[in-house]
Amino acid sequence: MAIERQEILRRLRRNIERGIPIIGTGAGTGISAKCEELGGTDLIIVYNSGRFRMAGIGSTAGCLPLGDANTIMMELGREVIPVVKDTPVIAGVFGNDPFRNMKNFLQEVKYAGFSGIQNYPTIANYDGNMRREFEQTGFKFDNEVEMVRIAREMDLLTTPYAWQVEEAEKMARAGADVIVAHCGCTTGGTTGMEWAPPLEDAAGFVQEVCDAAKAINPEVIVMCHGGPISSPEDAEFILQHTRGVAGFYGASSAERLPVEQAIPEQIRRFKAIKYEQKIIELQE
């Protein structure tokens, strides 16, 4: 069941008032969503990269032509939403989808039980020549900004990513409730990035995004995500070295990395079982 935007914001601001970090977590399976809720996550985000991530493929696959991103998200929503009891589920929507009327599609998203939206996959994930080619052929970041504006008018919670300060400013002007400063693909594990900027640099970028967004809308909630921020300790470093940043969005760090650590350890424990092999003689 979808949770009303104002109720979600009330919960998030209560966390801020109490000094408790807001945590949003990506879910590529129903069991991930169930466990994240058991752990106390504040938001559960469903996007196409979750399917690839939990299939053992890098999250960046979500930005490649490996399927219809919005269809995959809706399919995952049908798996995740029914098993979540009282946590808002956020839809990762590809706002540059040329085959969907975005206002109509967001109505479908809301009807399906999602409480809000995020802009993923996103053109912001590209830079250089590829970014210019996308922008000049109609696949624009501004289309994602417009999607956020429409979603806000529909009273959906809006939690867009921003890779650049300018993107954060645009999202703040569009009325975003939460802006997530994206520091790049998450490091670590079997399919994560091998390199990312130092945590100190990530904290500097997150602070720039926060300051720019709050200069436009002091009420906007700013969070951090990705890059070198792959553990609770990393997130703690960012929050302790920034001002006004309210929490952390984790995807690989919330489901892929824990699985990659827990399953091998469990198998090693099974393999370490000690026993004496006994020969049972049949009695004639």
Side-chain angles (χ1 to χ4, degrees), residues 11 18 36 72 116 210 217 220 251 269 281:
R11 296 181 187 184
R18 295 178 177 179
E36 288 165 7
I72 292 172
C210 183
N217 176 13
V220 71
R269 290 176 61 198
E281 296 181 357

Side-chain angles (χ1 to χ4, degrees), residues 160-163 179-183 205-206 209-210 222-226 229:
Y161 281 133
W163 268 254
I179 292 177
V180 184
H182 201 302
C183 298
F205 166 69
V206 172
V209 166
C210 183
V222 178
M223 300 169 66
C224 60
H225 169 80
I229 317 170

Side-chain angles (χ1 to χ4, degrees), residues 46-52 61-77 91-97 100 105 120-122:
V46 174
Y47 26 41
N48 70 328
S49 63
R51 169 165 292 176
F52 300 120
C63 293
L64 295 174
L66 299 177
D68 182 335
N70 285 329
T71 293
I72 292 172
M73 177 271 295
M74 293 294 278
E75 290 173 350
L76 285 174
V93 178
F94 179 43
N96 271 284
D97 190 332
R100 285 179 171 87
F105 182 62
Y120 193 89
T122 170

